[in-house]
Amino acid sequence: MRLAHRLLLYWLGIVGLLVVAGFVIERRLHARVTDQTIDNLAREARLVASQWSDPSVSDSLADAAGAALGHRVTLIDRTGVVLGDSHFDGEALRDLDNHSTRPEVALASTLRAATARRVSSSSGTEQFYVAVAASLGVSRVSLPTPAIEAVFYRTRKDVLLAGAVAVALSAVIAGLFARSLSRPIVELRDVARQMADGDLGGRPALSAPGEVGDLATALYRLAEQLGARMAALQADRTLLAAVVGSLEEGVIAVDATARVVQANEAARRLLDLSAPLPFSLDMLPREPLLRDSLSDALRGIRTGPLELTLHGRTLLLTACPLDHGGGVLALFDMTATRRLETVRRDFVANVSHELRTPLTVIAGFTETLAEEGVPPEKRRQFSEMILTNTSRMQRIVDDLLDLSRIESGGWLPNPSVLDVEAVIDEAFTGVRAAADAKGIRLESQVDPAARDIYMDRTALRQILSNLLENAIRYTVRGAVTVATARAEGGVSLSVSDTGSGIPAEHLPRIFERFYRADSGRARESGGTGLGLAIVRHLVESHGGRVEAASVEGAGTTIIIFLPAASIAAASIAAARS
C-alpha cells in the first residue's frame, strides 16, 4: 500500500477515534448536565421548603414559586395530599391523586434529595422529579425531560455540523499533505533501494521541506560517504587479494558454514584444487591431519605448525580460528628446505667419508714408518702412498674451495670471445698422458659456425678438464670426443665417451656434490665427486645450462648450452648486481 493511502487511512482512524471520543464526551456531558439540573432542582425545592410555613397558603406559594422558577412546584403534606401545585388550581388540584406512593415523595424523608424520572399521570409528559423534606411535608420541583433533550439536540446538531465541515477540510488538507510528503519519501525510497543493490550513483533531490529535506540531505551525504568507503574498501580488497595471491605460502579461508571462501594460487597448487569458489570442505584432500586441523579451527582451537606429506611435497601446516566463526589454513612448502637439509647432511657425510679414507691411509702408513726395521723399499712405497692420498685430499679441498667460491659469489666470470678449438687443445694437453696410458683417443669436432664462444677462459678450461678427466676415468677403450654445434640462441658444447655409461636412475643426480653412480670405482680411479657440480655452477654463472645423456654399455655425453654473447652478458651483469 502506498504511503499516501496509508496516511489517509491513519487520518480516517484518527477521525474515527475522535468520533468515538466525541460520543463518549457527549454522553458524559449529558449525564453531567442532568446531574447539574437535578442539583439545581434540589436547591429550588429546598428554597421553597424553607418558605413553606403556613399550610393555608400552600397553593399560592406553589404558584408564586413556579412562576419565579419557571418549573412546576408541588407541595405535599405528610399524608401524601397535594396542598399546592403551580400547574393546577381549585377543583383540578383537589382531583390530584395521593402522592404518598410516588418514589421521590416516599424517599424524601430518608434522603437529602430524592429523584425520579417517569411519565407524569397528570400531564402525560416525562418529568424529572426532585423532592426534599419540609417541615409541613414534602417540597417537590419537576422539569420536563424534553426541555433538557432539546438543549442536547441543538448542541449535538451544531457539533455534528462543525465536525462535518472540519472532517471535509481536514480530508483535503490530509490528502495534500500526504501527497507532498509521500512524493519525496518515494524518491528517497528509490535511492535507498539503489544503494542497497550496490548502485551508489543515485542521489536524492535536496529541495524537500522540513525533516524530509533533512533526511534527503543525510541520505545524500550517506551516499557520498558510502561511495568513498566502498571505493577504499574495494582498493583494500584488491590490494589484499594481490598480496595473498602473491604469497608463496598457501592460504585457505573457511567460513562458519564449513565452506572454502578464499584460496590463493599457492594453496590451489599445493593441494591440487581446481573448483571455483566457494566450495565444500569435502573437495579438499582427504588427509587426516589436514581435516583434523580445520575441524579444530572451526571449533576455535589453534593448531600447528604441523608437518605432513601431500602429493609428494612436504608441507608445514598452521590452522587458526577466526573471531566470528570459520578459520584460516596456512600451508608452507618445505620441500626445498627439507631437500637442502638432506643435501647438507649428505654433504657433511660425504666430506667426512671422502677425507676419512685418505686420512686413515696416511695415519696407518705414518705409524708404520715410525717403527724401526722397515726396509728402504717399503719406506719408499709407503711414502708414495702417503703422497698419493695427500694429493687426493688436496684435490678434494681445492675442489671444495672452488665450489664454495663459485656458489657464494666470490668468483665472478670475466667473459670474452674465445676460440674454442684452442681451449680444447689446451685441455687435451692436460689429460693426454692419462688417455695415452689407457689407449684412449682424444678427438675434436668443432663446427665452423660454432667456433667462437663468449665465456671466461679459465672457467671453460676447467669445465673441459673436469669433463675430460671424468670421461677418461670411466672409459676403458675407444675415444673421448669434444664437439661444438650451433644451437638456437647460442652454442652447444658436448663431451662424449665410449665408457660403461650411467644407469638412467642416476642421471638426474650426477651434478650433485659427491654423488657417484659407482662410488667404489670412482674412488679407486681418484675422483673427488665434485667435478660435475663445479661444471654445473660454472655453466650457470654464464647463463647456460648442462644436461647428461647416457646409455649403459655405450657411453655418456655431457651437453652444455652456452647462450649468445648478449644474453650471457646480461645474465652475468644481473649476477654481479
Side-chain angles (χ1 to χ4, degrees):
M1 185 179 293
R2 300 179 65 84
L3 177 62
H5 298 162
R6 290 200 301 272
L7 290 175
L8 289 176
L9 286 178
Y10 296 153
W11 169 79
L12 289 176
I14 294 173
V15 170
L17 291 175
L18 291 176
V19 169
V20 173
F23 177 77
V24 173
I25 292 173
E26 189 270 340
R27 298 304 299 171
R28 296 189 64 178
L29 180 63
H30 186 280
R32 184 171 296 179
V33 171
T34 300
D35 293 342
Q36 186 64 40
T37 301
I38 291 173
D39 290 342
N40 291 336
L41 292 178
R43 285 194 293 271
E44 293 173 0
R46 292 190 188 95
L47 178 62
V48 173
S50 65
Q51 296 177 356
W52 185 30
S53 59
D54 186 358
S56 60
V57 296
S58 298
D59 189 45
S60 60
L61 176 60
D63 292 341
L69 298 175
H71 301 149
R72 178 185 175 184
V73 177
T74 305
L75 299 174
I76 307 165
D77 65 8
R78 291 187 177 87
T79 62
V81 176
V82 179
L83 299 180
D85 193 303
S86 59
H87 285 186
F88 298 96
D89 293 316
E91 191 67 28
L93 179 63
R94 286 189 292 275
D95 291 339
L96 292 175
D97 296 335
N98 189 288
H99 282 41
S100 61
T101 58
R102 302 291 194 271
E104 70 278 5
V105 175
L107 297 174
S109 60
T110 59
L111 298 176
R112 179 177 175 83
T115 62
R117 180 175 178 172
R118 68 177 184 277
V119 178
S120 174
S121 59
S122 57
S123 64
T125 60
E126 187 178 50
Q127 301 279 332
F128 272 116
Y129 294 99
V130 179
V132 297
S135 59
L136 299 178
V138 175
S139 172
R140 189 183 73 177
V141 179
S142 62
L143 177 67
T145 57
I148 299 176
E149 295 299 331
V151 173
F152 281 105
Y153 174 75
R154 290 192 297 272
T155 302
R156 188 181 297 114
K157 183 178 179 180
D158 293 341
V159 170
L160 290 176
L161 179 60
V165 173
V167 167
L169 291 176
S170 65
V172 174
I173 295 173
L176 296 175
F177 174 74
R179 174 174 292 185
S180 65
L181 182 64
S182 64
R183 185 175 299 167
I185 290 179
V186 168
E187 180 186 1
L188 294 178
R189 177 204 65 190
D190 295 339
V191 173
R193 284 179 177 175
Q194 291 179 3
M195 293 171 61
D197 293 337
D199 181 9
L200 301 179
R203 296 292 185 273
L206 303 179
S207 59
E211 288 80 1
V212 178
D214 296 340
L215 178 60
T217 302
L219 190 61
Y220 186 93
R221 293 176 179 173
L222 177 62
E224 292 288 334
Q225 294 178 1
L226 281 179
R229 292 182 181 180
M230 286 297 292
L233 183 62
Q234 185 62 38
D236 291 342
R237 182 177 298 175
T238 302
L239 178 60
L240 179 60
V243 171
V244 173
S246 64
L247 291 176
E248 289 297 325
E249 294 81 2
V251 178
I252 291 179
V254 181
D255 64 11
T257 62
R259 293 187 311 159
V260 177
V261 295
Q262 187 62 263
N264 65 353
E265 289 301 321
R268 289 182 175 275
R269 183 182 69 255
L270 295 175
L271 299 181
D272 193 19
L273 301 175
S274 59
L277 295 172
F279 56 83
S280 172
L281 287 181
D282 294 335
M283 302 188 70
L284 293 178
R286 296 188 180 278
E287 166 63 39
L289 194 59
L290 176 67
R291 295 297 184 94
D292 293 343
S293 299
L294 277 175
S295 299
D296 290 342
L298 293 176
R299 293 197 304 270
I301 303 172
R302 178 189 176 95
T303 59
L306 303 173
E307 191 169 301
L308 59 91
T309 301
L310 188 66
H311 303 316
R313 295 177 180 271
T314 302
L315 304 179
L316 197 64
L317 177 150
T318 302
C320 301
L322 296 177
D323 293 337
H324 303 291
V328 174
L329 183 70
L331 299 167
F332 184 74
D333 190 358
M334 297 291 293
T335 306
T337 302
R338 294 293 179 259
R339 184 182 297 116
L340 289 175
E341 291 176 352
T342 301
V343 171
R344 178 182 58 81
R345 289 194 299 268
D346 292 346
F347 174 74
V348 172
N350 287 329
V351 168
S352 301
H353 185 73
E354 292 292 337
L355 293 179
R356 183 173 63 240
T357 300
L359 282 174
T360 302
V361 174
I362 293 171
F365 285 120
T366 302
E367 291 176 359
T368 303
L369 289 175
E371 297 177 358
E372 296 181 358
V374 178
E377 62 274 9
K378 291 292 185 181
R379 287 181 179 275
R380 186 182 308 107
Q381 181 183 355
F382 293 163
S383 298
E384 290 175 355
M385 293 296 295
I386 292 173
L387 181 60
T388 300
N389 283 276
T390 303
S391 299
R392 180 181 175 187
M393 289 177 58
Q394 184 65 48
R395 287 197 304 273
I396 293 174
V397 172
D398 290 343
D399 285 349
L400 284 173
L401 290 175
D402 289 343
L403 188 60
S404 176
R405 188 168 64 254
I406 295 169
E407 289 180 341
S408 64
W411 176 86
L412 293 175
N414 185 21
S416 60
V417 179
L418 304 176
D419 182 354
V420 69
E421 192 167 10
V423 181
I424 293 174
D425 289 340
E426 292 179 13
F428 279 172
T429 301
V431 298
R432 190 173 299 279
D436 291 343
K438 299 181 69 174
I440 298 173
R441 299 188 310 277
L442 298 177
E443 298 178 353
S444 173
Q445 299 176 1
V446 177
D447 186 346
R451 186 182 184 90
D452 294 333
I453 293 180
Y454 185 74
M455 196 173 184
D456 183 279
R457 186 181 188 88
T458 303
L460 180 57
R461 187 168 56 246
Q462 187 172 3
I463 289 172
L464 289 173
S465 296
N466 286 341
L467 293 180
L468 289 171
E469 288 175 2
N470 276 349
I472 294 170
R473 185 176 298 120
Y474 295 106
T475 302
V476 177
R477 66 180 61 87
V480 174
T481 304
V482 180
T484 64
R486 197 70 187 171
E488 183 178 356
V491 175
S492 68
L493 173 68
S494 64
V495 177
S496 304
D497 61 55
T498 57
S500 58
I502 302 173
E505 64 269 17
H506 295 291
L507 282 177
R509 300 190 60 188
I510 64 172
F511 293 100
E512 296 179 8
R513 290 171 292 186
F514 293 114
Y515 187 84
R516 294 187 177 94
D518 187 352
S519 58
R521 182 180 174 187
R523 289 192 184 93
E524 291 175 1
S525 58
T528 64
L530 297 172
L532 290 180
I534 294 174
V535 169
R536 177 172 64 88
H537 283 287
L538 288 175
V539 172
E540 290 177 351
S541 68
H542 289 79
R545 64 180 183 272
V546 60
E547 58 188 31
S550 182
V551 177
E552 285 192 81
T556 302
T557 300
I558 306 297
I559 305 170
I560 297 170
F561 172 78
L562 296 170
S566 58
I567 301 175
S571 177
I572 294 171
R576 286 178 175 174
S577 62

